[in-house]
Amino acid sequence: AGFLVVHSNLRGYGFSQNAFNPLGIGDTIDTLNLLALLRTQAGEAGLLEKADAEHIGIWGHSMGGGIVLRVLELDGNIGAAVLYSSINADEKQNLEYFASDDGRGNSPVHTTDEVLRTLSASTYLNRITAPISIHHGEADTVVPLEWSQQLCNDLDALQKEVECYFYKDQPHTFKNSGDTLFIQRMIDFFNRELK
C-alpha cells in the first residue's frame, strides 16, 4: 500500500531477549528508541533510505495498543495511530483483569492505586494530538470490547480526532472478511492522515 513498516521486537517475544518490563514500560521505551532511530536514519543510504521521518504512523494490537497510547502521549510528532483490540488505558483495570499476569507476560506489579494512575495512559489522554482509529471485534474473548468503547468515549469527550469501528463476530485477531475490512480501513486511514 506504499508504506514502509518497521516493527519493534517486544521484550521476551520472538527472538527478543527477556528484560525488565513491568506494565510494558520497557516496550514503550524500546518503541520510542526505534522511532528516534528511524528519524535519524530516514532518507540516508541503507535500510531506512525510503523512510519518511515527517509522516509516521503507529499501530498496536492488544498490549501493543497500550504501548501506542503511551507513545502518543510522549511523542507529539506522530501523524496517526491505529489501535486494534487494545488493552485498557487504565493499568489498574489491566492488572485486575489479567489476574495471573499483566497481559504482557510479566508478573503483577504490587503497587498503590496512585502509582498505577500515574503509569496509566488514561491519565494523559489530553496530551494526544494525533488522529486515532480504533478497531475491536465484538466476539473478542481476550480483551473486553467495552475497553475500546470506553476509550472511544473518553477521547471523544476530550474532542480528540478519533474514529471507532466494532466488528460483528470477530475475535481478538480478526479473520477472513473482518480482517480484510480492517486492513482496508487502516490503509485508508493512513493514506488520509499521512500522505
Side-chain angles (χ1 to χ4, degrees):
F3 293 97
L4 174 66
V5 178
V6 179
H7 183 286
S8 61
N9 286 333
L10 301 180
R11 296 179 182 200
Y13 288 81
F15 297 106
S16 181
Q17 293 179 345
N18 206 358
F20 187 68
N21 192 29
L23 303 174
I25 293 170
D27 290 329
T28 304
I29 293 167
D30 294 344
T31 302
L32 290 165
N33 286 334
L34 178 61
L35 288 167
L37 178 72
L38 189 148
R39 287 181 174 124
T40 60
Q41 294 185 9
E44 301 294 324
L47 291 175
L48 298 174
E49 185 172 353
K50 294 185 179 181
D52 180 352
E54 300 299 317
H55 299 94
I56 295 176
I58 56 177
W59 180 99
H61 177 247
S62 195
M63 68 180 184
I67 296 166
V68 164
L69 283 173
R70 280 198 180 117
V71 169
L72 288 174
E73 293 168 351
L74 295 167
D75 185 337
N77 295 315
I78 301 296
V82 171
L83 298 178
Y84 167 33
S85 304
S86 181
I87 62 170
N88 203 299
D90 182 333
E91 292 298 348
K92 182 178 179 186
Q93 289 191 43
N94 286 324
L95 286 175
E96 289 172 354
Y97 185 79
F98 299 108
S100 62
D101 64 42
D102 69 355
R104 302 171 185 91
N106 298 296
S107 297
V109 175
H110 299 287
T111 189
T112 67
D113 288 351
E114 179 60 22
V115 169
L116 288 174
R117 189 189 69 72
T118 61
L119 294 174
S120 294
S122 59
T123 304
Y124 311 101
L125 294 176
N126 61 317
R127 295 182 181 176
I128 294 174
T129 58
I132 300 176
S133 183
I134 298 175
H135 304 258
H136 208 118
E138 293 180 359
D140 191 337
T141 60
V142 178
V143 174
L145 169 68
E146 294 80 17
W147 290 359
S148 286
Q149 292 170 327
Q150 182 64 53
L151 181 60
C152 287
N153 292 337
D154 292 346
L155 290 168
D156 191 54
L158 291 168
Q159 299 181 328
K160 300 299 179 180
E161 189 176 341
V162 60
E163 61 181 32
C164 302
Y165 297 101
F166 303 106
Y167 298 73
K168 184 174 175 53
D169 299 324
Q170 288 299 313
H172 188 59
T173 301
F174 298 171
K175 298 177 187 273
N176 305 318
S177 62
D179 189 50
T180 302
L181 179 58
F182 163 61
I183 290 171
Q184 188 57 58
R185 284 175 170 166
M186 178 177 54
I187 290 169
D188 292 345
F189 173 72
F190 281 139
N191 277 333
R192 185 173 68 247
E193 301 298 337
L194 298 177
K195 290 186 175 178

